Amino acid sequence: MNSYDVAIIGSGPGGYVAAIRCAQLGMKTAIIEKYSTLGGTCLNVGCIPSKALLDSSHHYEDAVKHFEEHGIDIPGEIKINLEKMISRKQAVVDQTTGGIDFLMKKNKIDVYVGIGSFKDATHISIVGEESTEIEAKHTIIATGSKPSTLPFIKLDKERIITSTEALKLKEIPKHLIVIGGGVIGLELGQVYKRLGAEVSVVEYMDRIVPTMDAGVSKELNKVLKKQKFKMNLSHKVKSVERKGDEVIVKADNKKGEEVTFTGDYCLVAVGRHAYTDGLNAEAAGVKLTDRGLVDVNEHLQTNVPNIYAIGDVIKGAMLAHKAEEEGTFVAETIAGQKPHIDYNLIPGVVYTWPEVAAVGKTEEQLKEAGVAYKVGQFPMRALGRSRASMDLDGFVKVLADKTTDEILGVHMVGARAADMIAEAVVAMEYRASAEDISRMSHAHPTFTEAIKEAALAATGDRALHI
Ligand SMILES: Cc1cc2nc3c(=O)[nH]c(=O)nc-3n(C[C@H](O)[C@H](O)[C@H](O)COP(=O)(O)OP(=O)(O)OC[C@H]3O[C@@H](n4cnc5c(N)ncnc54)[C@H](O)[C@@H]3O)c2cc1C
């Protein structure tokens, strides 16, 4: 029986990063993945394929709506080849997952394909094409998550679908009903909106992306409505039924009146839940929480001292980069180091266009905690860079401590916000004040000038270009 210092169950961004870091630290490492491709949700059916389709659909929308204004005439009709779009996405996925195979080989990590189940706290059976059993001094559970649904919805995976199927549709929906106005629903909704579908978002809460700053939710809602999304907030879905090629969704609106939506596809995007099926956690004595998450302490250690857990299968934001940080954290902990993660500084991003990005506290959180703060906000439309590219929507908002001027949160809606948020993360990691940012040179013309201007506004109404 092969024996390892560390075995990792699950090869998503949490698991494969943990494996690389363990190997870098000199530990004999194995990774177990039930699917034949490595990379987990993120690389196979999450971050990467969704961004590939967002990029393709964005190009199409630009060609149809914006090229003419830029002085680019395309003779003839611009057509979508959905099959090619989906196969390009798959090629991106294949290339990326292939890259993980390379990294496993480079770092001399043994890869096992099959379902990993605990036999006890130090033995794992792997059931796949070639079943086997291994021994591990330490195990890291990185089994991720799966799409959630509502108890009364029967997902047929043809017309009543999750994000996984939405990434490989064979036709463009005429009317896509998206249940859930969170990140995944809005991103995939925008893909098909750009390709010509009517898109109705049905959201239970009174705002989209409800965990983000309310100002950001409002702005994104405004922009998406401008893009002709049909937003139905404060709607409680009560039934989803398929009749032939139609999907009928019934919901109660704020007034308690029944509203019926009829479409040809319904994307159920109501969140994700931790995945531990087949893991046989109880054989190792590992405790789960009431919500089915693997329970961990501040060292990401389970109640069984040699077993750790990371990523979507534990508490916290379900984000690839959070899982990656935790993978590194646990590898270094096992190696006897004292790593640290500041969860307040894990950024959140929505890859719609305009993009949305945030780090730190929202205004709502600061109010609730009774923290006195100041706000500096700057509209993207006031930037030369925005006018040049015609990306005028959105703003940057800097929240700073009223007394010390320390930056407590940065929230943005706008072109390239996903990349720009890194500046705010660095600033906050070093506990910068709004004045610190406002005194740093930002290249002109760039979208990042909005961060400097918002910081100037926060330091005392000193924005220069508004
Ligand atoms: C459509 C979509 C878009 C997303 N976009 C983004 C984004 O842009 N940015 C972002 O940060 N996050 C995004 N996410 C979320 C991101 O994919 C997850 O947060 C991330 O993949 C979690 O990583 P993980 O390593 O914890 O688990 P996962 O990536 O879920 O990987 C877990 C792996 O474990 C394997 N596994 C499970 N049980 C076993 C077992 N018993 N034996 C062997 N293998 C097992 C699974 O097959 C899977 O491969 C998106 C998700 C979706 C669905």
Side-chain angles (χ1 to χ4, degrees):
M1 185 188 308
N2 287 340
S3 192
Y4 294 92
D5 294 319
V6 185
I8 295 143
I9 308 179
S11 72
Y16 85 73
V17 167
I20 294 172
R21 190 71 190 115
C22 285
Q24 284 175 344
L25 290 164
M27 293 180 258
K28 189 175 176 209
T29 307
I31 192 162
I32 305 160
E33 170 55 56
K34 73 174 190 178
Y35 292 119
S36 56
T37 53
L38 302 179
T41 304
C42 175
L43 273 62
N44 290 283
V45 289
C47 327
I48 300 299
S50 59
K51 266 80 262 179
L53 290 183
L54 277 160
D55 283 340
S56 295
S57 59
H58 202 165
H59 286 311
Y60 172 71
E61 189 185 46
D62 274 344
V64 172
K65 293 193 181 156
H66 304 302
F67 275 13
E68 201 184 330
E69 217 170 334
H70 282 275
I72 305 165
D73 289 333
I74 300 180
E77 198 190 340
I78 302 166
K79 285 191 195 149
I80 301 161
N81 182 339
L82 186 65
E83 200 184 333
K84 192 161 181 188
M85 205 178 268
I86 300 281
S87 69
R88 186 199 79 95
K89 172 222 72 175
Q90 197 51 45
V92 173
V93 167
D94 295 345
Q95 204 182 7
T96 314
T97 56
I100 307 298
D101 289 335
F102 164 78
L103 291 173
M104 295 301 105
K105 281 196 193 92
K106 182 185 160 205
N107 287 285
K108 303 194 171 47
I109 296 159
D110 287 348
V111 176
Y112 291 90
V113 181
I115 297 176
S117 329
F118 284 107
K119 291 199 85 176
D120 58 41
T122 50
H123 293 86
I124 302 162
S125 83
I126 300 157
V127 179
E129 267 181 35
E130 288 173 42
S131 297
T132 184
E133 187 178 324
I134 61 169
E135 185 183 38
K137 278 194 208 127
H138 302 92
T139 298
I140 304 173
I141 302 171
T143 50
S145 63
K146 290 277 177 205
S148 294
T149 180
L150 297 171
F152 51 85
I153 299 180
K154 194 174 166 292
L155 295 165
D156 66 13
K157 301 197 174 181
E158 283 174 12
R159 292 194 177 264
I160 306 173
I161 57 176
T162 69
S163 56
T164 305
E165 295 75 50
L167 292 166
K168 52 182 183 197
L169 288 186
K170 293 206 163 46
E171 61 176 357
I172 298 162
K174 289 180 199 68
H175 181 195
L176 175 66
I177 303 163
V178 179
I179 303 180
V183 182
I184 293 176
L186 296 179
E187 288 183 3
L188 292 171
Q190 199 175 48
V191 166
Y192 289 104
K193 181 86 204 67
R194 288 169 178 161
L195 300 183
E198 186 185 332
V199 176
S200 299
V201 176
V202 188
E203 166 58 51
Y204 175 73
M205 304 291 279
D206 60 0
R207 60 188 178 101
I208 53 168
V209 284
T211 55
M212 299 191 96
D213 186 273
V216 156
S217 295
K218 206 170 149 195
E219 179 72 7
L220 184 64
N221 194 47
K222 192 178 89 188
V223 177
L224 293 180
K225 275 166 85 172
K226 212 163 70 178
Q227 294 174 8
K228 308 263 183 320
F229 270 76
K230 297 214 167 94
M231 291 296 182
N232 303 277
L233 307 179
S234 304
H235 277 60
K236 186 179 177 193
V237 172
K238 54 184 190 183
S239 71
V240 177
E241 226 189 298
R242 176 162 172 194
K243 276 200 183 138
D245 287 350
E246 273 189 352
V247 183
I248 298 147
V249 175
K250 290 196 171 138
D252 284 339
N253 69 13
K254 213 172 167 176
K255 294 181 198 148
E257 299 155 346
E258 186 177 281
V259 186
T260 303
F261 303 88
T262 306
D264 48 347
Y265 286 87
C266 173
L267 167 60
V268 181
V270 293
R272 297 178 62 83
H273 61 272
Y275 182 74
T276 54
D277 292 6
L279 184 63
N280 205 17
E282 48 299 349
V286 171
K287 276 197 201 137
L288 306 186
T289 68
D290 297 344
R291 292 174 50 217
L293 299 162
V294 177
D295 207 4
V296 288
N297 64 17
E298 70 275 22
H299 304 292
L300 307 185
Q301 191 176 31
T302 69
N303 59 304
V304 182
N306 67 320
I307 302 178
Y308 294 77
I310 57 173
D312 282 9
V313 80
I314 65 165
K315 64 191 170 189
M318 287 188 171
L319 292 169
H321 44 285
K322 178 248 189 198
E324 289 186 31
E325 290 308 318
E326 292 179 338
T328 300
F329 177 96
V330 167
E332 293 178 354
T333 302
I334 293 172
Q337 299 182 5
K338 300 262 180 285
H340 173 72
I341 297 175
D342 185 346
Y343 284 97
N344 186 42
L345 297 187
I346 305 263
V349 173
V350 189
Y351 292 83
T352 48
W353 199 266
E355 294 175 334
V356 181
V359 64
K361 302 286 185 233
T362 63
E363 280 204 60
E364 295 70 45
Q365 287 168 332
L366 293 176
K367 277 183 195 141
E368 204 182 309
V371 177
Y373 66 95
K374 347 176 244 183
V375 185
Q377 191 162 315
F378 189 83
M380 301 306 281
R381 62 176 54 250
L383 295 175
R385 187 72 194 85
S386 301
R387 283 192 298 278
S389 70
M390 300 199 302
D391 288 305
L392 299 172
D393 291 316
F395 58 77
V396 172
K397 174 159 87 172
V398 171
L399 306 175
D401 187 283
K402 194 155 199 168
T403 319
T404 65
D405 197 37
E406 179 176 350
I407 300 170
L408 304 174
V410 178
H411 306 273
M412 43 178 95
V413 181
R416 303 196 200 154
D419 295 290
M420 292 204 292
I421 200 66
E423 175 179 353
V425 177
V426 173
M428 289 177 69
E429 189 68 55
Y430 288 95
R431 301 195 63 181
S433 64
E435 187 180 352
D436 288 331
I437 295 253
S438 76
R439 290 188 181 278
M440 288 173 197
S441 173
H442 287 65
H444 173 76
T446 59
F447 295 108
T448 66
E449 287 172 285
I451 304 177
K452 178 183 169 115
E453 292 276 4
L456 275 166
T459 54
D461 208 13
R462 289 184 44 218
L464 295 164
H465 291 90
I466 193 145

